[in-house]
Amino acid sequence: MWRTISALAVLLAISACSDGATVREPPDSFTQTKTQTERDMLDRAEQLLLRDCMRKHGFKVWMTPPDNTMPQSLQFPYVLTDIDWAKKHGYGGDLQERAAALAEADPNKRYFQGLSKQARAAARTALNGPAPVGLEAKVPLGGTMRRSDRGCVSEAERLLYGDLRTWYRVTKVTEQLRPLRAGKVLEDAGYKAGLAEWSACMRGRGHDYGRPAAARGAMLGGADRHDRAEEIRTAVAEATCARDTGLTNTVRRLDARYERDLVARYRSDIKAKRDLELAALPRAAAIIAERDIRKEGKE
């Protein structure tokens, strides 16, 4: 398995003309290949194609191992609901530190930071193409996203998924369904009513927060962040109050309802993305096998 943020996201991070790195999210009704193994296969094949393309342009790219741990903000976007998880990770401060260490140790980051200004500009062009023209998607949260249909990102996706324009469009649409769903839950009257009881429960445990996001921010917020023990105590209190006040059940019910609504509304885009992923699996397997054979031949 391979960490998508290694080459692609690090390179995208230095790009001024990219629309941003793809966020690989946990599977749900919006974005789901058949298994984690198959999702990792697609990721690895895409990284191999990207690496080969960038090498043709004179740039090095390293494959690095994955960190498949989901951040707390993706697992619990409304309120912490898993007391055992909170006891182990608090608000995920340990996971943030591990992700930061992996990013700092990434050889791709060191390599591209070491390039001259002119070379970095050439790398951006090689990666993303000369300008964000050729691909576009009208997205659920509003507006239109655009990217070049040239460059190594597009070349890798074209070779793997075939129909690049459709792949770009449905990927950008489905990527926004999760935050769109979360926004609907957070604005729901039922959720807001549940927060009042949850907040009263938290005050009773010595934590004066009106929203879970405020507690999370206080525990993880920069130089003012609290120590690890306090982070865990607060997180456990949050999850316990969510259970005891019924907020856990409320967010699960609302989340499922809005997910069903969005799946029905964007069914064709979701199906198109799944179909392209499933059709790409044999190509991904062939790409990986070919590179493995080539590697063995050099040893």
Side-chain angles (χ1 to χ4, degrees):
M1 297 186 295
W2 302 89
R3 178 158 49 98
T4 305
I5 64 170
S6 61
L8 179 58
V10 169
L11 295 178
L12 286 169
I14 67 170
S15 171
C17 60
S18 168
D19 59 16
T22 298
V23 178
R24 297 296 181 183
E25 298 179 334
D28 59 10
S29 296
F30 301 149
T31 54
Q32 183 176 356
T33 316
K34 293 178 67 175
T35 67
Q36 181 64 49
T37 299
E38 289 170 335
R39 288 190 292 276
D40 288 336
M41 182 187 298
L42 292 173
D43 281 349
R44 185 183 177 193
E46 188 173 339
Q47 292 298 299
L48 287 167
L49 291 169
L50 181 65
R51 181 195 67 181
D52 291 352
C53 179
M54 290 297 287
R55 284 179 175 176
K56 292 177 185 177
H57 290 274
F59 299 103
K60 297 178 181 179
V61 174
W62 287 263
M63 304 288 290
T64 55
D67 178 15
N68 286 327
T69 304
M70 286 184 287
Q72 187 255 18
S73 58
L74 283 180
Q75 284 204 73
F76 311 105
Y78 316 115
V79 66
L80 268 169
T81 57
D82 188 328
I83 296 173
D84 290 336
W85 193 95
K87 288 178 179 178
K88 183 177 181 180
H89 298 294
Y91 284 100
D94 57 332
L95 302 181
Q96 284 188 354
E97 291 172 0
R98 184 170 73 181
L102 284 171
E104 189 62 31
D106 193 323
N108 296 290
K109 179 180 179 180
R110 293 196 299 268
Y111 171 72
F112 283 96
Q113 286 179 337
L115 293 176
S116 67
K117 183 178 180 180
Q118 184 178 6
R120 283 197 297 272
R124 287 195 294 268
T125 300
L127 184 74
N128 299 300
V133 176
L135 302 175
E136 67 176 43
K138 293 182 179 180
V139 290
L141 291 175
T144 300
M145 300 185 73
R146 294 180 175 86
R147 198 188 76 198
S148 176
D149 58 358
R150 300 163 61 187
C152 287
V153 172
S154 288
E155 178 178 317
E157 292 178 352
R158 184 183 289 110
L159 289 171
L160 186 57
Y161 297 105
D163 187 345
L164 178 61
R165 283 180 170 77
T166 298
W167 171 252
Y168 179 79
R169 180 180 59 78
V170 299
T171 297
K172 294 308 173 186
V173 169
T174 55
E175 280 176 358
Q176 291 202 352
L177 296 183
R178 183 183 299 274
L180 181 60
R181 180 184 73 193
K184 289 180 178 296
V185 172
L186 292 172
E187 290 301 315
D188 189 279
Y191 176 73
K192 292 180 178 180
L195 281 184
E197 294 185 45
W198 174 87
S199 182
C201 176
M202 288 289 282
R203 284 195 299 274
R205 292 174 174 269
H207 307 283
D208 191 10
Y209 297 107
R211 298 177 297 111
R216 184 184 308 172
M219 294 299 112
L220 301 180
D224 296 329
R225 65 179 298 173
H226 292 250
D227 61 35
R228 177 75 176 146
E230 180 63 16
E231 176 191 339
I232 290 175
R233 281 195 297 270
T234 306
V236 170
E238 175 175 321
T240 302
C241 283
R243 181 197 62 190
D244 292 350
T245 63
L247 186 58
T248 293
N249 291 333
T250 296
V251 297
R252 287 174 179 168
R253 174 176 54 80
L254 292 174
D255 189 69
R257 187 181 97 195
Y258 287 116
E259 181 175 341
R260 286 193 301 269
D261 292 346
L262 290 172
V263 166
R265 182 176 176 183
Y266 293 95
R267 187 178 306 278
S268 61
D269 294 309
I270 294 167
K271 182 179 185 301
K273 184 173 187 291
R274 283 178 172 172
D275 289 346
L276 287 170
E277 287 177 325
L278 294 175
L281 287 172
R283 289 192 289 272
I287 289 165
I288 294 168
E290 178 186 356
R291 270 60 173 187
D292 287 345
I293 292 172
R294 193 185 304 169
K295 181 179 178 181
E296 290 177 1
K298 293 180 180 180
E299 294 177 349

